[in-house]
Amino acid sequence: MPVAPPWSARGWDGGGYPRHPTRRWALPPVIVLSAITVAGTAISGLRQHPVHPLDVVGILLLLVTPGALLVVRRRGAVAIAATVAAVGAAAGYVALGYPWGPFFLPLIALVGVLASTGQRWLGRSAAVGALVAVLGAVQVRGEQPGIVLVTVAVAWLAVALTVGEASLGRRERFQEMRAARFAREQTAVAAERLRIAQELHDVLGHSLSAINVQAGVGLHLMDRDPEQARSALASIKASSGQALDEVRAVLGVLRAEGEAPPRAPAEASLTSLGTVLEAARAGGLDVDADLSAIADAAARASGDVGRTVHRLVQEALTNVRRHSSATSARVTLAVEPAGLEVVVHDDGPARVPAASPGFGLLGMGERVEAAGGRLAVGPDPAGGFTVRAWLPLRAAP
């Protein structure tokens, strides 16, 4: 993974550049660079005659450019002012006749830092300005710049610009990678929230529908047939208990720590379709099921497909009880070479799905599509309403 330059470790702004000047990191290198510049110039000046002796003014001029490195990361007017001061100080140092030495090193570092912090135009301007100003100062000094001096200065400034812009590009790629990773994480979180919402919708919708029907039966028969009312209350107790268990299983996914969370409640599987049918029958719906292939399907289909079939049948039967006057329904499960076909058909009057389907139909469609299957819902030409789904034996990756 790319690593951002050290001077960018204190934070980023919206464009991927340092948010604040990093004095904590920059101060030690600036001190070292200042020492090298002053000491190197003082030592080289011992062998240069005649030159102006290196005094306090000369030392201060040498220290202006290293000091500018501490503030050029602020960008804007502050960076421009610091750059102009650094270039002017270097040219003034040369024009006043002070000894030759490594005074050009801070200017090279300045150009590199400007390029690496995204201030390309200022870095290039500083490189050109420093070269022109120093060469002009040499002529003011009464000397002629040699071809070697010019070539070396141009080469080092070009290297500084190249390295600085390469560092900036690397940091920008690093930021893009981090943004892409964050987007993927957010997408995964949204998908998991949707999955949990679908689980809760299926569990609560199915169970509350059964409880509502049984409560209506109990109220209707309370005076005329206490035993039937008692049976309805017992069914309500069983349905609510099962719903609580399933809700706890779903919410347990959110509380799981230190282990891989379960992808769905353990009850949601092909082998648990019987509990769905019994709950529908307890709610007053006569359900006929052809599940002769369930053992073969459970052995060949993946767990995700099994959960999808479970929720599909559960939601389809819940919709029959909610939205239809049907008294009976038939559930068929057939195993094909490449997948499973699940059909839920009721005998109620034909009904047309709403133009804006509810969360139940949307949830069914999303589950089937996520598993790589196909879903068709609508009135049957022979009467009634049919939910038909085809699912592969293995869910789509």
Side-chain angles (χ1 to χ4, degrees):
M1 177 181 295
V3 178
W7 55 78
S8 63
R10 286 280 300 276
W12 308 74
D13 62 17
Y17 306 119
R19 184 179 294 117
H20 299 295
T22 55
R23 292 187 179 87
R24 182 182 303 175
W25 177 89
L27 189 57
V30 166
I31 293 175
V32 172
L33 182 60
S34 300
I36 292 174
T37 302
V38 174
T41 303
I43 293 172
S44 64
L46 297 177
R47 301 179 181 178
Q48 299 178 36
H49 302 282
V51 293
H52 192 294
L54 186 62
D55 54 16
V56 175
V57 174
I59 293 175
L60 291 177
L61 290 173
L62 289 176
L63 294 178
V64 169
T65 305
L69 291 171
L70 295 173
V71 296
V72 292
R73 298 176 185 85
R74 288 184 181 274
R75 305 169 67 83
V78 174
I80 295 173
T83 302
V84 171
V87 172
Y93 175 87
V94 174
L96 291 175
Y98 286 107
W100 293 102
F103 73 92
F104 211 68
L105 286 179
L107 283 175
I108 295 173
L110 179 69
V111 169
V113 169
L114 288 172
S116 70
T117 54
Q119 304 176 83
R120 292 185 175 95
W121 70 271
L122 186 56
R124 294 167 184 171
S125 300
V128 175
L131 187 62
V132 172
V134 171
L135 292 179
V138 171
Q139 293 182 346
V140 172
R141 185 184 179 116
E143 301 178 11
Q144 290 297 322
I147 188 64
V148 175
L149 174 63
V150 175
T151 302
V152 170
V154 170
W156 275 109
L157 290 172
V159 168
L161 282 172
T162 302
V163 172
E165 295 192 8
S167 175
L168 174 64
R170 189 181 188 189
R171 186 168 74 249
E172 288 175 341
R173 290 193 297 273
F174 171 77
Q175 285 297 96
E176 291 173 359
M177 291 174 58
R178 189 164 67 174
R181 182 175 60 189
F182 179 75
R184 289 194 299 269
E185 291 173 352
Q186 291 298 105
T187 300
V189 169
E192 185 65 8
R193 287 174 177 168
L194 176 61
R195 186 194 67 80
I196 293 174
Q198 289 176 336
E199 290 289 340
L200 288 175
H201 172 272
D202 292 344
V203 170
L204 296 177
H206 172 76
S207 302
L208 292 178
S209 176
I211 291 172
N212 181 66
V213 171
Q214 291 298 331
V217 172
L219 288 173
H220 182 69
L221 299 176
M222 183 174 293
D223 296 329
R224 293 187 303 167
D225 194 340
E227 286 303 318
Q228 285 290 344
R230 184 186 300 275
S231 176
L233 291 175
S235 179
I236 289 174
K237 180 179 179 181
S239 296
S240 61
Q242 181 182 0
L244 286 174
D245 291 340
E246 293 198 33
V247 168
R248 290 191 188 102
V250 173
L251 297 181
V253 174
L254 302 177
R255 291 191 292 265
E257 294 182 0
E259 59 181 14
R263 297 302 298 170
E267 292 80 7
S269 65
L270 277 170
T271 55
S272 62
L273 277 179
T275 60
V276 175
L277 303 179
E278 289 303 321
R281 290 170 182 145
L285 185 64
D286 183 13
V287 180
D288 180 24
D290 180 8
L291 302 179
S292 57
I294 191 170
D296 184 26
R300 296 174 58 188
S302 67
D304 289 339
V305 172
R307 283 188 286 271
T308 300
V309 172
H310 178 108
R311 295 305 185 195
L312 179 70
V313 173
Q314 186 181 59
E315 183 64 30
L317 292 177
T318 298
N319 285 342
V320 172
R321 293 156 60 187
R322 281 182 180 174
H323 308 299
S324 172
S325 59
T327 58
S328 65
R330 178 172 179 78
V331 180
T332 305
L333 175 66
V335 181
E336 300 177 356
L340 306 175
E341 184 180 55
V342 184
V343 180
V344 180
H345 175 75
D346 65 72
D347 65 352
R351 61 187 189 276
V352 179
S356 299
F359 290 114
L361 291 180
L362 287 175
M364 281 195 291
E366 289 171 352
R367 283 181 179 277
V368 172
E369 182 179 353
R374 303 183 298 272
L375 177 70
V377 297
D380 194 289
F385 193 84
T386 300
V387 174
R388 185 184 306 272
W390 182 90
L391 295 159
L393 292 174
R394 301 290 170 184

